[in-house]
Amino acid sequence: MTCIGEASMPFDYARYLAAKTTVDDRALNRHVLGELRRLMPAGAPQVLEVGAGLGTMAARLMDWGAVTTGEYILLDADRQLLDCSRRWLRDWAAARGLRSELLPDGLQVGDLRVRLVHAELGRYLEATHRTPADVLIANAVLDLVDVPAVLPGLLRLLVPGGVYWFTINYDGESIFAPGHPHDDQIMRAYHRDMDERVRYGRPAGESRAGRHLFHHLRAAGAPALAAGPSDWVVSAGPDGHYPGDEAYFLRSILDTIQDALRNRQDQVDPADLAGWLAERSRQLAAGELVYIAHQLDFAGRSPG
Ligand SMILES: C[S@@+](CC[C@H](N)C(=O)[O-])C[C@H]1O[C@@H](n2cnc3c(N)ncnc32)[C@H](O)[C@@H]1O
């Protein structure tokens, strides 16, 4: 089986998510993570992760000893990615000598039961759910949905006073170095594309989702108990190579920008875009490209 997922993307999305793992490992805010650990219920929690993709966060939380037992639901609108997650998590477990076993609706990894749920978030929130979660996670997802519309419903998926951990929320700032004369024009157009995006028939995110979450969480009765930056910072090492598969991660970021702006001739001249991409691709191949994206993490409790 080939793992691709996210059919709308012009690259192998599953490989992109796997390559993103080491970038997120560095970026996730440790102060906010500390708050998650403090708020985490004792025993075997029921964890729900929305927009979970390949399930790399479940693996990370097992690695970091934050979640080792209980049930962990991976919810995603992309069925192919969820199928890929079975194999990805099995390979991950095997590499660590952890036992794993395929189950009809997911898999067992060590003492953690992982359940896969194929659903679009908006539709899922409209349905009735009997077992509320103790912990709700969304990593690199809330900037892809209409937060004011979905947040109250999301928080209702938690038990009263349940814990949320919303991480890697993009916040309107991407830096490519060294600087290029077209940087500002291209990022302005890219942010506008993010702000106007529609997916699954609904508004799908915005470029300043991070900073707006402070207000949206408060308005939903669940103000953040901890917040902090989780910027992606990607650069090559002294040998000119990017760590892990991060060159592929950067290639995917450039492809995403190209894909978003190819029909935006009114905002970016196609020749300017082509020139910018050619220069960024050359810098990537030479190990000269540095990429920084500003993002924010939040942890708190649902209304009690
Ligand atoms: C940027 S990826 C992040 C995946 C994963 N959380 C990670 O960090 O590796 C966003 C994920 O959210 C899913 N997604 C986006 N919009 C969704 C929606 N409305 N309902 C359910 N899943 C959605 C996508 O299919 C994708 O897997």
Side-chain angles (χ1 to χ4, degrees):
M1 178 186 64
T2 357
C3 271
I4 304 260
E6 189 73 2
S8 62
M9 287 297 178
F11 50 85
D12 176 341
Y13 201 71
R15 181 173 168 192
Y16 161 72
L17 291 182
K20 183 169 84 67
T21 309
T22 48
V23 183
D24 282 355
D25 285 346
R26 289 194 299 275
L28 285 162
N29 186 288
R30 299 310 198 259
H31 161 68
V32 180
L33 175 68
E35 187 68 2
L36 169 74
R37 288 180 186 273
R38 193 182 71 79
L39 298 173
M40 198 87 157
Q46 172 86 23
V47 182
L48 169 64
E49 182 179 349
V50 297
L54 269 189
T56 57
M57 182 57 89
R60 175 183 294 111
L61 290 179
M62 279 189 266
D63 248 349
W64 290 358
V67 177
T68 52
T69 180
E71 184 175 70
Y72 195 117
I73 296 176
L74 306 181
L75 180 146
D76 205 283
D78 189 325
R79 188 188 291 279
Q80 205 185 355
L81 270 185
L82 286 176
D83 288 343
C84 295
S85 75
R86 287 165 170 263
R87 194 175 75 188
W88 191 87
L89 280 167
R90 282 207 96 182
D91 290 349
W92 173 85
R96 277 155 187 75
L98 259 181
R99 85 191 144 79
S100 68
E101 184 192 345
L102 288 183
L103 301 169
D105 63 350
L107 67 167
Q108 182 76 32
V109 184
D111 293 328
L112 190 68
R113 173 84 161 85
V114 179
R115 205 146 67 75
L116 310 178
V117 173
H118 174 230
E120 192 280 316
L121 188 56
R123 290 249 174 88
Y124 187 78
L125 294 179
E126 284 156 16
T128 318
H129 305 283
R130 296 231 177 83
T131 321
D134 301 303
V135 181
L136 175 65
I137 297 174
N139 187 62
V141 170
L142 293 187
D143 45 27
L144 300 175
V145 297
D146 183 1
V147 172
V150 303
L151 189 60
L154 263 181
L155 293 168
R156 280 195 295 273
L157 297 176
L158 279 167
V159 295
V163 188
Y164 67 77
W165 188 45
F166 298 149
T167 48
I168 312 285
N169 299 292
Y170 185 66
D171 191 46
E173 205 64 62
S174 284
I175 298 164
F176 291 89
H180 185 284
H182 297 321
D183 282 342
D184 288 350
Q185 181 196 8
I186 284 173
M187 289 324 299
R188 208 170 24 249
Y190 182 61
H191 288 153
R192 184 157 162 195
D193 181 77
M194 286 186 84
D195 293 338
E196 293 174 357
R197 204 162 33 198
V198 173
R199 298 196 62 202
Y200 308 105
R202 304 171 198 261
E206 55 145 337
S207 59
R208 295 182 173 194
R211 73 194 67 177
H212 293 156
L213 265 165
F214 284 99
H215 167 75
H216 293 317
L217 286 165
R218 186 171 289 283
L225 297 176
S230 52
D231 296 0
W232 282 338
V233 180
V234 185
S235 63
D239 61 357
H241 290 106
Y242 293 92
D245 201 17
E246 293 182 22
Y248 190 82
F249 170 84
L250 289 178
R251 178 76 261 154
S252 308
I253 297 289
L254 295 179
D255 287 350
T256 303
I257 294 171
Q258 177 177 29
D259 193 54
L261 299 187
R262 73 168 80 244
N263 295 320
R264 296 267 177 178
Q265 285 99 332
D266 54 321
Q267 290 165 48
V268 181
D269 183 280
D272 288 351
L273 178 61
W276 186 85
L277 285 165
E279 181 58 7
R280 292 309 185 198
S281 301
R282 188 199 64 71
Q283 291 165 344
L284 172 57
E288 293 167 7
L289 183 63
V290 176
Y291 170 62
I292 301 167
H294 177 50
Q295 295 155 158
L296 291 166
D297 289 0
F298 299 85
R301 287 194 187 282
S302 65

